[in-house]
Amino acid sequence: QAGGAGAEKPLGDSKPVSVQRGGKEEAPLSPAQKVKEAGRDFTYFIVVLVGIGVTGGLFYVIFKELFSSSSPSKIYGDALEKCRSHPEIIGVFGESIKGYGEATRRGRRQLVSHIEYVKDGLKHMRLKFYIEGSEPGKRGTVHVEVKENPERGRFEVRYIFVDVDTYPRRTIVIEDNR
């Protein structure tokens, strides 16, 4: 006969056995056991704090890289939009203009070449990336320089110019605020 907790079961010719669960009383901890348990809890607390710190650091870096006005990715995106909307660039390369960076070893074109430097106490950044249009064989190299505006705390474009890499070679100046 099957039963739940506390049910009696005859086992062959032996006496019935009674099963009880729970109800185990814990003995009081000695001072050495209390110190050991407190040390273990403190270690877990430190591990959790380090994890939170690392996660916060990652979120900060991601936010700064993707959403900050001073990140190379943001400056690249803004410069590419200016190229896409400039009438002379559209006339040379066609309507559909795509931008890309340096080629990696695997052949992917994701790295936008940039250099940061300080001149006259202000941060500057130069970027170089490439564009292609819908016109067959038309390619260009875009050069951008931005300068930090101390009043706004943001980078402002000093110049954007595009070297047309195919015949006839020429340079198109989009913005010149020197």
Side-chain angles (χ1 to χ4, degrees):
Q1 172 180 357
E8 295 183 10
K9 293 184 178 180
L11 297 174
D13 293 334
S14 64
K15 295 182 182 178
V17 177
S18 161
V19 177
Q20 292 182 347
R21 295 186 183 175
K24 183 179 180 184
E25 294 182 22
E26 294 186 20
L29 296 175
S30 70
Q33 289 173 326
K34 287 181 182 178
V35 169
K36 182 178 177 183
E37 195 168 306
R40 183 176 39 216
D41 292 346
F42 183 72
T43 303
Y44 292 151
F45 178 71
I46 294 298
V47 168
V48 168
L49 280 181
V50 168
I52 290 171
V54 168
T55 303
L58 287 173
F59 280 132
Y60 172 76
V61 168
I62 290 170
F63 179 81
K64 185 179 177 197
E65 182 63 29
L66 295 179
F67 301 112
S68 170
S69 65
S70 62
S71 75
S73 300
K74 178 75 170 153
I75 295 168
Y76 159 75
D78 293 345
L80 182 59
E81 282 307 311
K82 287 182 181 182
C83 290
R84 287 179 175 157
S85 62
H86 194 270
E88 195 173 351
I89 300 289
I90 293 171
V92 172
F93 293 97
E95 285 290 326
S96 176
I97 296 173
K98 66 178 182 175
Y100 53 90
E102 300 287 336
T104 62
R105 285 187 222 167
R106 296 180 187 170
R108 296 183 182 148
R109 296 177 175 176
Q110 297 176 345
L111 302 174
V112 174
S113 174
H114 72 281
I115 264 188
E116 295 181 42
Y117 61 96
V118 177
K119 180 179 177 185
D120 299 329
L122 296 175
K123 292 181 186 176
H124 290 67
M125 187 183 310
R126 287 185 183 160
L127 283 89
K128 180 175 95 173
F129 63 93
Y130 306 95
I131 58 173
E132 280 183 7
S134 57
E135 292 290 322
K138 292 287 186 178
R139 291 190 199 119
T141 304
V142 181
H143 302 273
V144 181
E145 182 170 330
V146 293
K147 172 180 159 183
E148 182 183 40
N149 182 340
E151 295 163 3
R152 291 185 176 174
R154 300 177 55 178
F155 280 104
E156 293 180 346
V157 175
R158 286 190 64 204
Y159 62 78
I160 300 175
F161 63 88
V162 180
D163 288 329
V164 179
D165 296 340
T166 52
Y167 185 77
R169 291 185 178 269
R170 63 183 175 150
T171 300
I172 302 169
V173 178
I174 295 177
E175 207 166 302
D176 189 7
N177 296 333
R178 291 186 206 179

Coordinates of all heavy atoms in Angstrom, one line a residue, residues 49-97:
L49 N 29.3 43.1 -5.6 CA 29.7 44.5 -5.9 C 30.6 44.6 -7.1 O 30.5 45.5 -7.9 CB 30.4 45.1 -4.6 CG 29.5 45.5 -3.5 CD1 30.3 46.1 -2.4 CD2 28.5 46.6 -4.0
V50 N 31.6 43.7 -7.2 CA 32.5 43.7 -8.3 C 31.7 43.5 -9.6 O 31.9 44.2 -10.6 CB 33.7 42.7 -8.2 CG1 34.4 42.5 -9.5 CG2 34.6 43.1 -7.1
G51 N 30.8 42.6 -9.6 CA 29.9 42.3 -10.8 C 29.1 43.5 -11.2 O 29.0 43.9 -12.4
I52 N 28.6 44.2 -10.2 CA 27.8 45.4 -10.5 C 28.7 46.5 -11.0 O 28.3 47.2 -12.0 CB 27.1 45.9 -9.2 CG1 25.9 44.9 -8.9 CG2 26.5 47.3 -9.4 CD1 25.3 45.2 -7.5
G53 N 29.9 46.6 -10.5 CA 30.9 47.6 -11.0 C 31.3 47.4 -12.4 O 31.3 48.3 -13.2
V54 N 31.6 46.1 -12.7 CA 32.0 45.8 -14.1 C 30.8 46.0 -15.1 O 31.0 46.6 -16.2 CB 32.5 44.3 -14.2 CG1 32.6 43.8 -15.6 CG2 33.8 44.2 -13.4
T55 N 29.6 45.6 -14.7 CA 28.4 45.9 -15.5 C 28.2 47.3 -15.8 O 27.9 47.8 -16.9 CB 27.2 45.2 -14.9 OG1 27.4 43.8 -14.7 CG2 26.0 45.4 -15.8
G56 N 28.3 48.1 -14.7 CA 28.2 49.6 -14.8 C 29.2 50.2 -15.8 O 28.9 51.1 -16.6
G57 N 30.5 49.7 -15.6 CA 31.5 50.2 -16.5 C 31.3 49.8 -18.0 O 31.5 50.7 -18.8
L58 N 30.8 48.7 -18.2 CA 30.4 48.3 -19.6 C 29.3 49.1 -20.2 O 29.4 49.6 -21.3 CB 30.0 46.8 -19.7 CG 31.2 45.8 -19.5 CD1 30.6 44.4 -19.4 CD2 32.1 45.9 -20.7
F59 N 28.3 49.4 -19.4 CA 27.2 50.2 -19.8 C 27.7 51.7 -20.1 O 27.3 52.3 -21.1 CB 26.1 50.3 -18.8 CG 25.1 49.1 -18.9 CD1 24.8 48.4 -17.7 CD2 24.6 48.7 -20.1 CE1 23.9 47.3 -17.8 CE2 23.8 47.6 -20.2 CZ 23.4 46.9 -19.0
Y60 N 28.6 52.2 -19.3 CA 29.2 53.5 -19.5 C 29.9 53.6 -20.8 O 29.7 54.5 -21.6 CB 30.1 53.9 -18.3 CG 30.8 55.2 -18.6 CD1 30.2 56.4 -18.5 CD2 32.2 55.2 -18.9 CE1 30.9 57.6 -18.7 CE2 32.9 56.3 -19.2 CZ 32.2 57.5 -19.1 OH 32.9 58.7 -19.3
V61 N 30.8 52.6 -21.1 CA 31.6 52.5 -22.3 C 30.7 52.4 -23.5 O 30.9 53.1 -24.5 CB 32.6 51.4 -22.3 CG1 33.3 51.2 -23.6 CG2 33.7 51.7 -21.2
I62 N 29.7 51.6 -23.5 CA 28.8 51.4 -24.6 C 28.0 52.7 -24.8 O 27.9 53.2 -26.0 CB 27.8 50.2 -24.3 CG1 28.6 48.9 -24.4 CG2 26.6 50.2 -25.3 CD1 27.8 47.7 -24.0
F63 N 27.5 53.3 -23.8 CA 26.7 54.5 -23.9 C 27.6 55.6 -24.5 O 27.2 56.4 -25.4 CB 26.2 55.0 -22.6 CG 25.4 56.3 -22.6 CD1 24.1 56.3 -23.1 CD2 26.0 57.5 -22.3 CE1 23.4 57.5 -23.2 CE2 25.3 58.7 -22.4 CZ 24.0 58.7 -22.8
K64 N 28.8 55.7 -24.0 CA 29.7 56.8 -24.5 C 30.1 56.6 -25.9 O 30.1 57.5 -26.7 CB 31.0 56.8 -23.6 CG 32.0 57.9 -24.0 CD 33.2 57.9 -23.2 CE 34.1 59.0 -23.6 NZ 35.5 58.8 -23.2
E65 N 30.3 55.3 -26.4 CA 30.7 55.1 -27.7 C 29.5 55.2 -28.7 O 29.7 55.8 -29.8 CB 31.2 53.6 -27.8 CG 31.7 53.2 -29.2 CD 32.9 54.1 -29.7 OE1 33.7 54.5 -28.9 OE2 33.0 54.2 -31.0
L66 N 28.3 54.9 -28.3 CA 27.2 54.9 -29.2 C 26.4 56.2 -29.2 O 25.9 56.6 -30.2 CB 26.2 53.7 -28.9 CG 26.8 52.4 -29.2 CD1 25.7 51.3 -28.8 CD2 27.2 52.2 -30.6
F67 N 26.3 56.8 -28.0 CA 25.4 58.0 -27.9 C 26.1 59.3 -27.7 O 25.5 60.4 -27.7 CB 24.4 57.7 -26.8 CG 23.6 56.5 -27.1 CD1 23.7 55.4 -26.3 CD2 22.7 56.4 -28.2 CE1 23.0 54.2 -26.5 CE2 22.0 55.3 -28.4 CZ 22.1 54.2 -27.6
S68 N 27.4 59.3 -27.4 CA 28.1 60.5 -27.1 C 28.4 61.3 -28.4 O 28.6 60.7 -29.4 CB 29.4 60.2 -26.4 OG 30.2 61.4 -26.3
S69 N 28.3 62.6 -28.3 CA 28.6 63.4 -29.5 C 30.0 63.5 -29.8 O 30.4 63.9 -30.9 CB 28.1 64.8 -29.3 OG 28.8 65.5 -28.2
S70 N 30.9 63.0 -28.9 CA 32.3 63.0 -29.1 C 32.9 61.6 -29.6 O 34.1 61.5 -29.6 CB 33.0 63.5 -27.9 OG 32.8 62.6 -26.8
S71 N 32.0 60.7 -29.8 CA 32.6 59.4 -30.2 C 32.8 59.3 -31.8 O 32.1 60.0 -32.5 CB 31.6 58.3 -29.9 OG 30.5 58.3 -30.8
P72 N 33.8 58.6 -32.2 CA 34.1 58.5 -33.6 C 32.9 58.0 -34.4 O 32.7 58.4 -35.5 CB 35.3 57.5 -33.7 CG 35.9 57.6 -32.4 CD 34.9 57.9 -31.4
S73 N 32.2 57.1 -33.8 CA 31.0 56.5 -34.5 C 29.9 57.6 -34.8 O 29.4 57.6 -35.9 CB 30.3 55.4 -33.7 OG 31.2 54.4 -33.4
K74 N 29.7 58.4 -33.8 CA 28.7 59.5 -34.0 C 29.2 60.5 -35.0 O 28.4 61.0 -35.9 CB 28.5 60.2 -32.6 CG 27.5 61.3 -32.7 CD 26.1 60.9 -32.8 CE 25.2 62.1 -32.6 NZ 24.0 62.0 -33.2
I75 N 30.5 60.9 -35.0 CA 31.0 61.9 -35.9 C 31.0 61.3 -37.3 O 30.6 62.0 -38.3 CB 32.4 62.3 -35.5 CG1 32.4 63.0 -34.2 CG2 33.1 63.1 -36.6 CD1 33.7 63.2 -33.5
Y76 N 31.3 60.0 -37.5 CA 31.2 59.3 -38.8 C 29.8 59.4 -39.3 O 29.6 59.7 -40.5 CB 31.7 57.9 -38.6 CG 31.3 56.9 -39.7 CD1 31.8 56.9 -40.9 CD2 30.2 56.0 -39.4 CE1 31.4 56.1 -41.9 CE2 29.8 55.1 -40.4 CZ 30.4 55.2 -41.7 OH 30.0 54.3 -42.6
G77 N 28.8 59.0 -38.5 CA 27.4 59.0 -38.9 C 27.0 60.4 -39.4 O 26.3 60.5 -40.4
D78 N 27.4 61.4 -38.6 CA 27.0 62.8 -39.0 C 27.6 63.2 -40.3 O 27.0 63.8 -41.2 CB 27.4 63.8 -37.9 CG 26.6 63.6 -36.6 OD1 25.5 62.9 -36.6 OD2 27.0 64.1 -35.6
A79 N 28.9 62.9 -40.5 CA 29.6 63.3 -41.7 C 29.1 62.5 -42.9 O 28.9 63.1 -44.0 CB 31.1 63.0 -41.5
L80 N 28.7 61.2 -42.7 CA 28.1 60.5 -43.8 C 26.8 61.0 -44.2 O 26.5 61.1 -45.4 CB 28.0 59.0 -43.4 CG 27.4 58.0 -44.5 CD1 28.3 58.0 -45.7 CD2 27.3 56.6 -43.9
E81 N 26.0 61.5 -43.2 CA 24.7 62.1 -43.6 C 24.9 63.4 -44.4 O 24.2 63.7 -45.3 CB 23.9 62.4 -42.3 CG 23.2 61.1 -41.8 CD 22.4 60.4 -42.8 OE1 21.5 61.0 -43.5 OE2 22.5 59.2 -42.9
K82 N 25.9 64.2 -44.0 CA 26.2 65.4 -44.7 C 26.6 65.1 -46.2 O 26.3 65.8 -47.1 CB 27.3 66.2 -44.0 CG 26.7 66.9 -42.8 CD 27.8 67.8 -42.1 CE 27.2 68.4 -40.9 NZ 28.1 69.3 -40.2
C83 N 27.4 64.0 -46.3 CA 27.8 63.6 -47.7 C 26.6 63.1 -48.5 O 26.5 63.5 -49.7 CB 28.8 62.4 -47.6 SG 30.4 62.9 -47.0
R84 N 25.7 62.4 -47.9 CA 24.5 61.9 -48.6 C 23.6 63.0 -49.0 O 22.8 62.8 -49.9 CB 23.7 60.9 -47.7 CG 24.4 59.6 -47.5 CD 23.7 58.7 -46.6 NE 24.3 57.3 -46.6 CZ 24.1 56.5 -45.6 NH1 23.4 56.8 -44.6 NH2 24.7 55.3 -45.7
S85 N 23.6 64.2 -48.3 CA 22.7 65.2 -48.6 C 23.3 66.3 -49.5 O 22.6 67.3 -49.9 CB 22.1 65.8 -47.3 OG 23.1 66.4 -46.5
H86 N 24.6 66.3 -49.7 CA 25.3 67.3 -50.5 C 25.0 67.1 -52.0 O 25.3 66.1 -52.5 CB 26.8 67.3 -50.2 CG 27.5 68.5 -50.6 ND1 28.0 68.6 -51.9 CD2 27.7 69.7 -50.0 CE1 28.6 69.8 -52.0 NE2 28.4 70.5 -50.9
P87 N 24.5 68.2 -52.7 CA 24.1 68.0 -54.1 C 25.3 67.6 -55.0 O 25.1 66.8 -55.9 CB 23.6 69.4 -54.5 CG 23.7 70.2 -53.3 CD 24.2 69.5 -52.2
E88 N 26.5 68.2 -54.8 CA 27.6 67.9 -55.6 C 28.1 66.4 -55.5 O 28.4 65.7 -56.4 CB 28.8 68.8 -55.3 CG 29.8 68.8 -56.4 CD 30.9 69.9 -56.2 OE1 30.7 70.7 -55.3 OE2 31.9 69.8 -56.9
I89 N 28.0 65.9 -54.2 CA 28.4 64.5 -54.0 C 27.3 63.6 -54.6 O 27.7 62.6 -55.2 CB 28.4 64.2 -52.4 CG1 29.4 65.1 -51.7 CG2 28.6 62.8 -52.1 CD1 30.9 64.7 -52.0
I90 N 26.1 63.9 -54.5 CA 25.0 63.1 -55.1 C 25.2 63.1 -56.7 O 25.0 62.1 -57.3 CB 23.6 63.7 -54.8 CG1 23.3 63.4 -53.3 CG2 22.5 63.0 -55.6 CD1 22.1 64.1 -52.7
G91 N 25.6 64.3 -57.2 CA 25.8 64.4 -58.7 C 27.0 63.5 -59.1 O 26.9 62.9 -60.2
V92 N 28.0 63.3 -58.3 CA 29.1 62.5 -58.7 C 28.9 61.0 -58.4 O 29.2 60.1 -59.3 CB 30.4 63.0 -58.0 CG1 31.6 62.0 -58.2 CG2 30.8 64.3 -58.4
F93 N 28.4 60.7 -57.2 CA 28.3 59.3 -56.8 C 26.9 58.7 -57.0 O 26.8 57.4 -57.0 CB 28.7 59.2 -55.3 CG 30.1 59.5 -55.0 CD1 30.5 60.7 -54.6 CD2 31.1 58.5 -55.2 CE1 31.8 61.0 -54.3 CE2 32.4 58.8 -54.9 CZ 32.8 60.1 -54.5
G94 N 25.9 59.5 -57.2 CA 24.6 58.9 -57.4 C 23.8 59.0 -56.1 O 24.3 59.5 -55.1
E95 N 22.5 58.6 -56.2 CA 21.6 58.8 -55.0 C 22.0 57.9 -53.8 O 22.0 58.4 -52.7 CB 20.2 58.5 -55.5 CG 19.5 59.5 -56.3 CD 19.2 60.8 -55.5 OE1 18.9 60.7 -54.3 OE2 19.3 61.9 -56.1
S96 N 22.2 56.7 -54.1 CA 22.4 55.7 -53.0 C 23.9 55.7 -52.6 O 24.7 55.0 -53.2 CB 21.9 54.3 -53.4 OG 22.2 53.4 -52.4
I97 N 24.2 56.4 -51.5 CA 25.6 56.5 -51.1 C 25.8 55.7 -49.8 O 25.0 55.8 -48.8 CB 26.1 57.9 -50.8 CG1 26.0 58.7 -52.2 CG2 27.4 58.0 -50.2 CD1 26.2 60.2 -52.0

